[in-house]
Amino acid sequence: MSRGVRKVRKSIMQRKKRRGLPPSMTGITSKQVISPFVQEEEKHGFVQTFPDMVEQSSSEKSSFISSLIVKATLSAMLFVSTALLWNTDTTLFANVKSWTSDALTEEFPFAKVNVWYQETFGNPLAFTPTGSKGSEHDGLALPVSGSVTESFQTNGKGIMIAPDTSSVVSAIQEGIVIFAGNDRETKKTVKVQHPDGSTSTYGHLNTVNVHLYQMIGTGEELGQFIPTSEKQTFYFSIKKNKEYVDPIQVIQVDDQS
């Protein structure tokens, strides 16, 4: 019986040796065999890698790198072209430089586009509120009631209004909010862009009740102003065609029309 056991063991050892040798030496054909059993690496979340998967991954990496190089090249060309444009004093590029400057510094005319959309298609844009809105001149008045303590002629930008009590600050005209936050000079501030291209600014607020790019109607609440011993005046200005205009004169003209 011991001879039978030794014979079985010898046969097992020979099979193990053949498995460790190249196929040419064992007579086994070169064929990839995938084990039906789960490998030790797969038990711990490591996926077994096959040659076709490696080739596909390499192809994706190559495509991504090519796309990245193209984007980087185009960005560099755009940067160099812009730099050359600004360093060239030829009158030929004067209009192009002006357009580029406006595109980079001026706010997109959302309010004007919204009016054009309504006139063209008959319905307001999806983000436009459904509340009532005045026309360009209807109901135009100062955003708060109070006495003007500093005129436009004093600072050339806007006026200072001193309300007697806590007041709701209202938009003088429909438009879209292009700024709602803290300004260096006027602290809590709201800026509204109007369809006629003008921008009205409401500063020194106590609370801001609108958000950026919100569509608002004429007379809609923008925030609140609460006079205190340290802050008794509210700032208001109108800017059109890149220049400040006297709000009192604008409102008086509109009221007469």
Side-chain angles (χ1 to χ4, degrees):
M1 184 170 179
S2 59
R3 290 182 58 189
V5 172
R6 287 197 297 271
K7 187 175 181 181
V8 171
R9 288 179 177 175
K10 184 177 180 181
S11 177
I12 292 174
M13 292 298 295
Q14 288 176 351
R15 285 200 298 271
K16 287 183 177 180
K17 288 181 180 180
R18 284 199 299 269
R19 288 175 184 173
L21 292 175
S24 59
M25 297 182 64
T26 59
I28 303 174
T29 57
S30 177
K31 182 178 181 181
Q32 185 180 8
V33 179
I34 301 176
S35 174
F37 302 102
V38 179
Q39 301 297 323
E40 187 66 26
E41 294 83 356
E42 296 178 356
K43 292 180 181 179
H44 300 283
F46 297 97
V47 181
Q48 188 174 3
T49 305
F50 299 100
D52 56 342
M53 293 177 63
V54 175
E55 291 177 2
Q56 183 178 4
S57 177
S58 301
S59 175
E60 291 178 353
K61 288 181 180 179
S62 175
S63 176
F64 172 76
I65 293 174
S66 301
S67 174
L68 190 62
I69 292 174
V70 171
K71 291 179 180 179
T73 304
L74 292 175
S75 300
M77 291 173 61
L78 179 62
F79 177 80
V80 172
S81 301
T82 306
L84 291 175
L85 177 65
W86 282 102
N87 290 325
T88 304
D89 295 330
T90 350
T91 54
L92 180 64
F93 299 111
N95 293 333
V96 180
K97 289 173 68 175
S98 176
W99 177 86
T100 306
S101 176
D102 291 341
L104 294 175
T105 57
E106 294 298 319
E107 192 76 28
F108 182 80
F110 294 100
K112 186 178 294 185
V113 170
N114 182 48
V115 171
W116 168 85
Y117 187 92
Q118 293 185 52
E119 293 176 350
T120 305
F121 300 102
N123 294 318
L125 293 173
F127 54 80
T128 305
T130 55
S132 60
K133 296 180 180 180
S135 65
E136 183 177 343
H137 302 295
D138 289 343
L140 198 63
L142 289 175
V144 293
S145 298
S147 56
V148 177
T149 59
E150 185 174 315
S151 65
F152 176 78
Q153 287 71 23
T154 305
N155 55 50
K157 288 186 177 181
I159 59 175
M160 302 298 293
I161 306 172
D164 296 330
T165 59
S166 300
S167 304
V168 171
V169 178
S170 305
I172 62 167
Q173 186 184 343
E174 71 172 296
I176 185 169
V177 177
I178 58 172
F179 181 85
N182 289 316
D183 183 82
R184 290 183 179 180
E185 297 181 358
T186 54
K187 307 305 176 185
K188 286 187 178 180
T189 303
V190 173
K191 294 183 180 181
V192 180
Q193 181 191 88
H194 305 293
D196 61 357
S198 64
T199 301
S200 56
T201 302
Y202 313 77
H204 295 303
L205 300 173
N206 288 83
T207 59
V208 173
N209 299 334
V210 292
H211 58 79
L212 189 64
Y213 300 130
Q214 176 181 340
M215 295 295 299
I216 57 169
T218 302
E220 187 170 337
E221 180 179 345
L222 303 176
Q224 289 186 338
F225 175 82
I226 303 174
T228 62
S229 57
E230 297 179 354
K231 182 179 63 176
Q232 299 181 351
T233 54
F234 161 81
Y235 174 79
F236 174 61
S237 68
I238 297 177
K239 192 175 185 180
K240 189 171 185 179
N241 298 328
K242 301 181 182 181
E243 293 184 357
Y244 288 97
V245 296
D246 189 351
I248 300 298
Q249 296 297 324
V250 172
I251 290 173
Q252 287 177 354
V253 170
D254 289 337
D255 284 342
Q256 294 171 3
S257 61

